[in-house]
Amino acid sequence: MNGASWEDRTGRRSRVRGSLLGGAIGDALGNPVEFLSLAGIRRAHGEHGVQGLLPDDEGVVGRVTDDTQMTLFTAEGLIRAHSRAASKGGGTEDGGAGTRIVRNAYLRWLDTQNHPAPPARGGDNPVRTGWLRQQPWLYARRAPGNACLTGLATGHVPEPTGRLGDPGPVNTGSKGCGTVMRSAPFGLVAQDAEEGFRLAYWCAQITHGHPTGAYAAGAFAAIVAYLLEGDSTEGAVLRAMELLRRHPGHEETTAALRAAVDLAAQGAPTGEKVETLGAGWVAEEALAIAVYCALVLPGADQVARSLLLSVNHSGDSDSTGAVCGNLLGARHGDVRLPPSWLVATEGRAVITEVADDLCVEFEHAVGWPADRYPAY
Ligand SMILES: [Mg+2]
């Protein structure tokens, strides 16, 4: 990427920022209605449902949830894994170091869920240190997924080798959308879509063992990678489906994506149409809803409508909003994100900084101050 033109690099940075910030906006839009039915949303917010950022239970507007928190830690883990590999002269893969270091990042996220505030600096364990975990606003429980919490307690580090499609040992039957909602960064940094697909797949199995949870995360990362290459939304989705169907046990995820593509061809969107794809509590449904909303309103001037469509349904509105926002930002860049929502979304400065650090690391492997991104 060092040889890329100024325009290419500028466009790529805008898309990386757009993906992380767009995800946060979608997460914040969906947060206040996560547990409401479509009818309940309409009763509370009018016939068109949510039309902008709303206050949460505590009256605060623009708060993000575990989806954005975990996505930031995925990005942080990837920066640290790449930095470590670069210092050893290698690529992203360092044996199992990629999955191990991403898991370490999720352990830091877990600390944010179990403690009221960041620790005092200067601890001995580098896994427990770093700049991101010093951000006080991340120390907030916003309905984190149970499999994410319990899976991290098991100590299992997936080996990124071997055949895809077998159940993993951690939460073997779980395919909650916690795999998908945190996985955009794998697509943002991948050399190619297949690399992003595979790393997202194996890192999903840190917490969720059902192959569909891992395949949905992998397909999502692949779509993001294709969008960064400049594909249209439809092109990116169809190419990711091609990649997906080469692997055993892909059918459930493929069927969900196929349903989203077919539905997008059936005229104007409605909340009722969104609900035919499911509720988004499980990984392939969350991905399908987000993909549908991005596909059916594909224009750069339709980003706000697409985000609103992705949260106005009975189901996991913050996760479907987050995943849809990741896609829209990767497609259209940060400059197309609705500005009034962008400036009111929690954590904007840190999210932007992480996006830029991700680009800097993968473009230049600069070598970070030891207390910012320790290589563990
Ligand atoms: Mg959430």
Side-chain angles (χ1 to χ4, degrees), residues 233-366:
T233 308
E234 186 176 21
V237 171
L238 294 176
R239 286 178 78 189
M241 290 172 71
E242 283 290 319
L243 206 168
L244 176 63
R245 76 167 171 225
R246 298 208 299 265
H247 297 286
H250 69 90
E251 290 80 2
E252 195 169 45
T253 310
T254 294
L257 285 170
R258 171 56 57 198
V261 171
D262 290 347
L263 189 62
Q266 291 170 27
T270 64
E272 285 75 8
K273 284 184 180 171
V274 171
E275 295 196 343
T276 66
L277 298 169
W281 302 110
V282 293
E284 78 277 21
E285 291 180 5
L287 179 62
I289 289 171
V291 162
Y292 166 70
C293 297
L295 277 176
V296 76
L297 295 164
D301 58 348
Q302 294 176 310
V303 169
R305 284 179 62 204
S306 180
L307 283 167
L308 293 175
L309 183 68
S310 75
V311 302
N312 279 303
H313 59 84
S314 313
D316 197 348
S317 296
D318 60 318
S319 294
T320 53
V323 174
C324 183
N326 291 145
L327 295 173
L328 296 171
R331 172 76 178 105
H332 302 295
D334 62 337
V335 292
R336 295 290 192 173
L337 297 175
S340 63
W341 298 347
L342 175 66
V343 298
T345 294
E346 182 184 32
R348 177 167 68 106
V350 167
I351 297 165
T352 304
E353 202 167 341
V354 168
D356 287 357
D357 286 357
L358 199 67
C359 291
V360 167
E361 171 58 35
F362 280 78
E363 288 174 20
H364 304 289
V366 286

Side-chain angles (χ1 to χ4, degrees), residues 27 31 34 63-74 106 109 112-113 138 140-146 148-149 177-178 181-182 316 318-319 322 346:
D27 190 11
N31 178 21
E34 178 179 8
R63 272 185 173 164
V64 298
T65 79
D66 57 329
D67 308 59
T68 299
Q69 295 168 348
M70 290 198 81
T71 297
L72 288 174
F73 279 98
T74 302
Y106 295 151
W109 169 78
T112 70
Q113 304 300 287
L138 290 171
R141 272 205 180 222
R142 307 274 166 77
N146 197 44
C148 290
L149 298 171
C177 71
M181 57 72 156
R182 67 188 192 222
D316 197 348
D318 60 318
S319 294
E346 182 184 32

Side-chain angles (χ1 to χ4, degrees), residues 57-247:
D57 291 348
E58 296 173 354
V60 181
V61 173
R63 272 185 173 164
V64 298
T65 79
D66 57 329
D67 308 59
T68 299
Q69 295 168 348
M70 290 198 81
T71 297
L72 288 174
F73 279 98
T74 302
E76 192 226 23
L78 290 169
I79 291 169
R80 290 166 70 146
H82 190 269
S83 176
R84 176 191 171 92
S87 73
K88 295 173 182 292
T92 316
E93 286 297 325
D94 180 12
T99 50
R100 181 165 50 76
I101 292 179
V102 170
R103 181 174 178 277
N104 288 343
Y106 295 151
L107 291 178
R108 289 186 289 281
W109 169 78
L110 187 63
D111 280 346
T112 70
Q113 304 300 287
N114 292 335
H115 298 281
R121 287 174 189 272
D124 293 336
N125 183 353
V127 171
R128 295 294 207 232
T129 62
W131 165 77
L132 186 63
R133 72 160 302 164
Q134 292 298 328
Q135 306 304 315
W137 64 278
L138 290 171
Y139 286 73
R141 272 205 180 222
R142 307 274 166 77
N146 197 44
C148 290
L149 298 171
T150 61
L152 287 168
T154 66
H156 174 70
V157 181
E159 277 294 319
T161 54
R163 196 180 92 116
L164 278 63
D166 296 327
V170 179
N171 292 321
T172 296
S174 294
K175 56 171 185 170
C177 71
T179 59
V180 175
M181 57 72 156
R182 67 188 192 222
S183 290
F186 298 110
L188 297 176
V189 303
Q191 296 282 325
D192 56 56
E194 173 128 26
E195 183 191 85
F197 177 91
R198 286 181 174 273
L199 194 54
Y201 178 95
W202 290 113
C203 287
Q205 294 214 332
I206 293 169
T207 54
H208 295 67
H210 194 296
T212 296
Y215 278 136
F220 176 46
I223 296 168
V224 169
Y226 287 131
L227 290 173
L228 246 64
E229 287 178 14
D231 273 349
S232 68
T233 308
E234 186 176 21
V237 171
L238 294 176
R239 286 178 78 189
M241 290 172 71
E242 283 290 319
L243 206 168
L244 176 63
R245 76 167 171 225
R246 298 208 299 265
H247 297 286

